[in-house]
């Protein structure tokens, strides 16, 4: 009989607590991965963690947050726990993020930036369908945020 070893996804993580520190760390991570700073507009986080070795990241908050991105005219809901595996210009295996398209909520599972010249970010749903938007639509305006 073979023994199966299960590794905890959060093993070896750098974990921070408190809204201010978690928000700061999420911005630093987005910058390090070359992703726009407005992808995770979550200012009331309780806990966040990042496992550099595997790229696993999680963000926890008390209640879901509904965010309206005026630049793309879309509502995005971030659940009580958002998780993903991050790498340069990409988040994959995402959980806890959904967007409203027409009358349906679509769970987002991946986001990526193509080559730097495209200036587009591509979002993929759990159905495998995707949509792209201008990168600058996900940049925070310092004077407004």
């Amino acid at each position: 009989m073979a023994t199966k070893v299960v590794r905890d996804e959060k093993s070896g993580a750098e974990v921070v607590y408190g809204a201010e520190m978690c928000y700061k760390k999420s911005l630093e991570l987005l910058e390090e991965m070359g992703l726009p700073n407005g992808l995770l507009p979550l200012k009331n986080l309780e806990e966040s963690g990042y496992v550099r070795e595997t790229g696993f990241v999680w963000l926890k908050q008390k209640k879901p947050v509904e965010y309206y991105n005026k630049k793309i005219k879309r509502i995005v809901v971030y659940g009580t726990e958002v998780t993903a595996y991050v790498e340069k210009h990409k988040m994959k295996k995402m959980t806890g993020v959904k967007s409203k398209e027409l009358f349906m909520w679509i769970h987002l599972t991946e986001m990526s930036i193509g080559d730097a010249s495209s200036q587009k970010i591509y979002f993929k749903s759990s159905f495998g369908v995707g949509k792209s938007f201008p990168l600058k639509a996900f940049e925070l305006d310092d004077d407004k945020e």
Side-chain angles (χ1 to χ4, degrees):
M1 184 161 118
T3 303
K4 184 176 181 181
V5 177
V6 179
R7 178 170 153 58
D8 179 10
E9 289 181 305
K10 297 179 180 180
S11 180
E14 174 188 342
V15 183
V16 294
Y17 301 93
E20 188 177 327
M21 192 59 156
C22 289
Y23 184 66
K24 179 183 175 203
K25 286 292 187 182
S26 70
L27 290 177
E28 288 173 2
L29 179 64
L30 290 170
E31 182 180 351
E32 181 181 331
M33 295 300 140
L35 296 167
N37 62 3
L39 281 177
L40 301 168
L42 306 174
K43 294 190 176 182
N44 292 312
L45 295 167
E46 295 182 313
E47 175 184 317
S48 69
Y50 176 46
V51 182
R52 193 167 295 278
E53 180 182 304
T54 63
F56 183 70
V57 64
W58 74 92
L59 307 164
K60 286 185 180 181
Q61 51 193 2
K62 281 186 182 181
K63 59 183 183 172
V65 170
E66 189 173 286
Y67 178 78
Y68 180 70
N69 184 320
K70 293 177 249 176
K71 296 173 186 172
I72 62 167
K73 297 178 173 65
R74 294 282 192 287
I75 297 172
V76 178
V77 173
Y78 298 88
T80 55
E81 185 168 11
V82 174
T83 67
Y85 286 87
V86 296
E87 56 190 63
K88 200 69 167 169
H89 304 292
K90 189 176 199 176
M91 284 189 183
K92 57 188 179 180
K93 297 183 182 177
M94 293 169 44
T95 66
V97 182
K98 60 185 178 179
S99 176
K100 194 164 195 173
E101 292 291 325
L102 298 174
F103 302 107
M104 286 180 51
W105 286 102
I106 307 294
H107 292 268
L108 302 176
T109 58
E110 191 172 301
M111 64 178 78
S112 60
I113 298 172
D115 59 62
S117 64
S118 73
Q119 293 298 301
K120 297 268 186 190
I121 186 165
Y122 181 76
F123 294 87
K124 185 176 169 185
S125 73
S126 54
F127 299 117
V129 178
K131 190 164 192 161
S132 64
F133 296 99
L135 266 177
K136 61 181 153 188
F138 295 91
E139 288 294 337
L140 294 177
D141 298 326
D142 292 333
D143 59 333
K144 295 180 184 174
E145 295 295 323

